[in-house]
Amino acid sequence: MREIGHFIGGRNVAGKSGRTADVFLPMTGEVQAKVALASRAEMREAVENAKAAQPGWAAQNPQKRARVLMKFLELVHQEYDSLAELLAREHGKTVPDARGDIQRGLEVAEFACGIPHLMKGEFSENAGPGIDMYSMRQPLGVVAGITPFNFPAMIPMWKFAPAIACGNAFILKPSERDPGVPMRLAELMIEAGLPAGILNVVNGDKEAVDSILEDPDIKAIGFVGSSAIAEYIYGKGCASGKRVQCFGGAKNHMIVMPDADLDRAVDALIGAGYGSAGERCMAISVAVPVGEETADRLMEKLIPRVESLKIGLSTDPDADFGPLVTAEAVKKVRGYVDLGVEEGADLVVDGRGFTMQGYENGFYMGGCLFDRVTADMRIYKEEIFGPVLSVVRAKDYQEALDLPTKHEYGNGVAIFTRDGDAARDFASKVEVGMVGINVPIPVPLAYHTFGGWKRSGYGDLNQHGPDSIRFYTKTKTVTSRWPSGIKDGAEFIMPTMR
Ligand code: NAD
């Protein structure tokens, strides 16, 4: 049995707590590895290591820090195939989809290579008589990232690449369900020239997370996961004076206007609703056709497409999606489908009975499609996180705009239309952080920022892009007068520039 420990001080170390969790092979349902769950003492060891290494790293000029990331990009590219395979085998998503997971992470590492420019401060000459004023951005020290199972390459890179480029040392606490790729990424960072102690991976569960929350030497936490845990971490982290950003769950709507190109809308719904078995925070889980006629035409095209989805092994290049991450996840998603039937929604495609021949113990589930879901149902209000799409029929544009606006989650949303005025009005008014216009999964690229609103995001700075540099640095502003010093004598009133 493969054992996964931690990566502390630039090397792999075995877990010492005596506690482990199973890492499954979702394709077959077998346990493929045991991952160590860190104790408080092990977390402390990693923090001390990071704290000792960080000042030296911060003192390196930013070009040199960027060069480590450049080398890291090269090393990941050399290992792309094996990393994607490892990722697919632990998560369950298909190998081509796993490549996308790696790529969207690398793009943030590419962005962070611009750190010499990104960390430049501001300078005002002659802000007063003989006075110059300038600001600089300095790293926070030791910072931490706590990441979810569903993007085990992308989200760790979204966190550690900008944080490390800024001169911080980083503690990553990845999901215990698929820790293999984060561990390998840390090894590659060291191979790329990162000093030992600057990137540590400490595997674990609530105990490891609580140790991060309580550690006075950890200055900032970036979290991504479900909203209940996001709220817990945001509350506790802020109360102990840390800088915290937490990104939570989602219920992303796609509005289909009567003038939309329905074939394109259906393609978009199939890919965005069922890709990665719906285990994406930007998956579309609610389709909102506007008007009964649009809804009927949409359902006519959608039903056969959902019925013909190809579910396969994670290693099958022709599969539309693979298994879910764990048996527990399948149970939860099936439970929501049962609930939807009880609540009175029309289950027009039922994937609950799907089994994969020869892999009966794998964590598979077929695509499910509900029609006539209403806003008071729990299957509408709650995040299901599986291959289940709900159709909510809206009578007009205003009702369609109100649905995502009033929903407690506000991560992503999309509108499909040919009408620029409707799209513009929607983008301006909808209470959601990321909006797609004829684009179903509007994940902003690395040089913009990513973040949801309402219960999908806590804290005022987003992930990646310029916000990540602000999040992982603090501003120092210097007011300097040369060479007259204070020869004019003491001043007792507040200096102003009047
Ligand atoms: P999760 O909340 O179960 O776990 C996330 C992290 O928190 C993991 O590292 C886990 O070990 C830790 N954790 C779990 N339970 C904990 C507890 N009781 N106390 C302290 N820490 C705990 O989330 P998940 O199932 O791994 O990921 C799926 C969720 O993440 C979905 O809700 C999805 O929408 C969300 N997500 C959001 C975004 C975004 O950017 N908004 C991106 C990806 C995923």
Side-chain angles (χ1 to χ4, degrees), residues 147-150 173 176-177 209 223-226 248-249 281 383 450:
T147 54
F149 82 86
N150 68 325
K173 205 304 282 171
E176 59 276 43
R177 284 175 250 171
V209 171
F223 168 87
V224 181
S226 55
C281 67
E383 182 181 47
F450 179 110

Side-chain angles (χ1 to χ4, degrees), residues 179-193:
V181 170
M183 290 289 282
R184 184 66 193 137
L185 293 175
E187 287 171 353
L188 292 175
M189 282 289 279
I190 295 291
E191 248 178 75

Side-chain angles (χ1 to χ4, degrees), residues 146-151 155 158 173-177 204-206 209-210 223-227 229 232-233 247-250 280-281 383 385 411 450 456 463:
I146 302 165
T147 54
F149 82 86
N150 68 325
F151 282 101
I155 297 180
W158 282 11
K173 205 304 282 171
S175 171
E176 59 276 43
R177 284 175 250 171
D205 56 3
K206 181 169 165 53
V209 171
D210 286 340
F223 168 87
V224 181
S226 55
S227 291
I229 312 295
Y232 169 73
I233 290 174
F247 300 93
R280 289 181 183 145
C281 67
E383 182 181 47
F385 224 55
N411 212 38
F450 179 110
S456 299
Q463 310 187 77

Side-chain angles (χ1 to χ4, degrees), residues 162-302:
I164 288 175
C166 289
N168 298 289
F170 199 87
I171 310 282
L172 174 66
K173 205 304 282 171
S175 171
E176 59 276 43
R177 284 175 250 171
D178 44 14
V181 170
M183 290 289 282
R184 184 66 193 137
L185 293 175
E187 287 171 353
L188 292 175
M189 282 289 279
I190 295 291
E191 248 178 75
L194 190 72
I198 299 300
L199 175 56
N200 304 277
V201 183
V202 183
N203 286 305
D205 56 3
K206 181 169 165 53
E207 183 170 341
V209 171
D210 286 340
S211 332
I212 290 174
L213 286 167
E214 287 156 18
D215 198 307
D217 286 323
I218 294 180
K219 303 299 178 196
I221 302 175
F223 168 87
V224 181
S226 55
S227 291
I229 312 295
E231 276 153 19
Y232 169 73
I233 290 174
Y234 192 70
K236 265 199 106 173
C238 290
S240 58
K242 299 185 195 309
R243 194 177 281 200
V244 190
Q245 56 172 200
C246 291
F247 300 93
K251 198 79 180 176
N252 306 313
H253 297 57
M254 184 173 127
I255 315 301
V256 182
M257 295 295 284
D259 66 346
D261 176 335
L262 277 193
D263 290 322
R264 293 187 69 177
V266 167
D267 277 341
L269 280 171
I270 288 290
Y274 299 95
S276 198
E279 291 177 320
R280 289 181 183 145
C281 67
M282 289 292 274
I284 294 289
S285 49
V286 182
V288 185
V290 174
E292 280 298 317
E293 203 222 320
T294 314
D296 292 340
R297 284 192 294 132
L298 183 75
M299 291 312 286
E300 200 183 310
K301 288 178 185 282
L302 200 51

